[in-house]
Amino acid sequence: MAYASGIFEKNFIEYASYVIRDRAIPELEDGLKPVQRRILHTLMELDDGKMHKVANVVGQCMRYHPHGDASINDALVNLANDDLFIDHQGNFGNALTGDGAAAGRYIECRLLPLAKKVLYSPETTEYVDSYDGRYKEPVVFHAKIPVVVIQGASGIAVGMKTDILPHNFIEVLEAQKAALKGEVTMLYPDFPTGGIIDVSGYEDGCGFVTVRARLDISDPKKVVITELPYGVTSEQMIASIEEADRKGKLHIAKVTDYTTDKANIEIALQRNTYNNDIVDALYAYTKCENKISVNPVVIVDGLPRIMPISEMVAYHARRLVEILTRELEIERDHLTDKLHARTLERIFIEERIYKRIETKKTAEDVVKAVKSGFKGFEAELIRPVDDDDVDRLLKIPIRRISLFDIEKNRKDIEDILADRDKCDYNLAHIVEYATDFLDGIEKDLDKERWGRHSEISSFQALDAKSIAVRNLELRYDESTGYMGTNIKTGEVLMKVSPYDKVFYMKKDGSYRVVNVSEKDFIGTEGLAYWCLGDKETVSQVVFTIIYKEKESKFYFLNRFTISSFTTNKLYSVLPKGNFKLVKLVTFPSAVITAKYKPGYGYRVMEETFRFSDFAVRKTPQTSGYKLITKALAGLTLRQTKEDGSGGQGALFDEEEKNGD
């Protein structure tokens, strides 16, 4: 059993690690999940400037991705719709309406130049064997910009999830340039669907944002939704509006969807209803307002980590300097090799060193003859002549030797030296060079496509409860024991909204707070009191109860308030024991008159008690005051008015009697 448990634990940990690192969570370095990286790698291999069938790209990508074509196709469509690295042609779906893309055999795509500019660097990229060992795929691209911040990411792994919202490309580049100077710039999301966003709770990508649809209310008799909140389709929006209308929260006549490449949902209002009457309700009850929580989890150094957006940008600013430095060093090495080759070629031809090999019989003698021919020219060489240099010189065709242009060779050498000096300058001014690189990317961007779409604003999130209209009749039918808003018989208790709670106390002394429902069985005992079930309302009511002990027939009085309760939990105002509730009132002041039975030897046959004689307790779960211990002939309760000084004035006409 222990052995089996050990296998389970080991396999589960391996599975969880695999899902986290290789399926769901993006790598910070290039902002991509493995399937996205494999798609871009495939497109780089296929890149010839022409469009490729998506089905063909998916098939080629299956050489690297072991999870089937469906996941590759979906990931490719999503990447293409980001318009960052992939150009596309055909029906790739519509994020506004929720329509899916056409089949892969009908749509086409190709790599955008930006992908190679910021991702492609085969000399610095590490490659590993694919899952079947036949091909090589990149471990990670060395991205020069924070891709994960620009296009966002979402994914669910074992025990964790990531939600990173997309940001404006130009703003991210500006923030990265500021980070190169050691400055910190706060970034806020920007959604391709537009909308209005409140970023007061964003907390550098670790909190939440509230997104609202943009409404056109220029016509008082209709509302037009022109921009949708991020992640909400027109179909979902219309469904939420119709649901709110069915529940009586909106008063609309018709909803029409004209959405194409831009959102356009027209809401026609009922007669005598105007758009300023329903705007708040749209935000409160429909998907016109959407709260999005974010959780920026990325893979850093092989481990998942929560990283704020500004920290991601700062990381990529440092990485940009490192990547460009490495690329410049490699370019300088290539220029040095090229300069060495051009110098060797010039000396080899100008000094007719090739003539020395005409009489040599062996390859070894040929190599020695070439190397000896360069003696005396060491000062002009970049490095000593090696066997590879000799091999390259011996492969020069006779035609090139006979047509060798000394002036052109010298011009090539001057150009190479100028390029190498430029590399040295850029290495010495690497931050300035990195800034220029980002400026070059920004210059090539389509400002209309990458301008800010979402308006940053501040608005108070609407609480549906606070704007709910109490227009539902709450009824109680004592004969059936049901209470609710969908009951046609019985007594109307009060007007409520769907978000209200109701406090009720039955004639047997039990009480409860429940949510408003269409139909709820509460019993046939009858109600003694009811009100809205919020604590502020209930706690202001002073209850006075008179109850008697069944065995001794003593009467007790208790005055109390109810300041705490749990919804749907049943309570009782009576203490534990064999007691019966005689009377419950909420009179602020009253007089109780007790008349006793004659023949029991009582000197006093009538007594009065005032409510003011008894203290109000803070909870009903206490023993009451012992009120009457004699045999009663009758008990009368009369409500009185209190004057400003607390004394009692004239009696009310209303009189409650209970003869026992």
Side-chain angles (χ1 to χ4, degrees), residues 492-623:
V492 176
L493 303 182
M494 55 183 164
K495 295 275 192 175
V496 294
S497 78
Y499 300 100
D500 283 333
K501 294 183 179 182
V502 177
F503 172 92
Y504 66 86
M505 187 176 292
K506 296 192 288 187
K507 293 179 180 179
D508 62 359
S510 61
Y511 67 91
R512 185 183 303 190
V513 174
V514 296
N515 294 310
V516 167
S517 64
E518 293 185 354
K519 191 175 183 180
D520 185 23
F521 182 79
I522 65 172
T524 57
E525 294 85 353
L527 298 184
Y529 185 80
W530 58 87
C531 67
L532 290 176
D534 59 282
K535 291 187 178 181
E536 182 179 357
T537 300
V538 176
S539 62
Q540 292 178 354
V541 181
V542 178
F543 295 93
T544 302
I545 62 170
I546 300 173
Y547 62 94
K548 73 173 182 177
E549 188 176 25
K550 292 182 179 180
E551 294 180 359
S552 65
K553 296 188 178 180
F554 291 168
Y555 285 77
F556 298 84
L557 180 143
N558 196 10
R559 305 193 73 205
F560 56 85
T561 58
I562 299 174
S563 57
S564 63
F565 48 78
T566 301
T567 303
N568 293 323
K569 183 177 180 179
L570 186 65
Y571 299 90
S572 177
V573 297
L574 298 176
K576 292 182 179 180
N578 193 12
F579 296 96
K580 176 185 177 182
L581 182 64
V582 176
K583 189 63 180 176
L584 179 145
V585 294
T586 57
F587 299 156
S589 180
V591 174
I592 302 169
T593 302
K595 295 181 179 180
Y596 305 125
K597 291 182 178 181
Y600 284 80
Y602 302 145
R603 291 185 178 182
V604 178
M605 301 301 295
E606 183 176 308
E607 285 185 289
T608 60
F609 309 92
R610 299 178 183 274
F611 279 6
S612 58
D613 296 335
F614 304 92
V616 178
R617 290 158 170 181
K618 294 183 178 180
T619 174
Q621 279 74 39
T622 55
S623 298

Side-chain angles (χ1 to χ4, degrees), residues 408-426:
K408 183 178 182 304
N409 181 273
R410 287 177 179 171
K411 179 66 170 58
D412 289 344
I413 290 176
E414 289 175 359
D415 292 341
I416 293 170
L417 287 172
D419 289 341
R420 197 171 69 162
D421 290 342
K422 188 177 180 180
C423 281
D424 290 336
Y425 178 86
N426 289 334

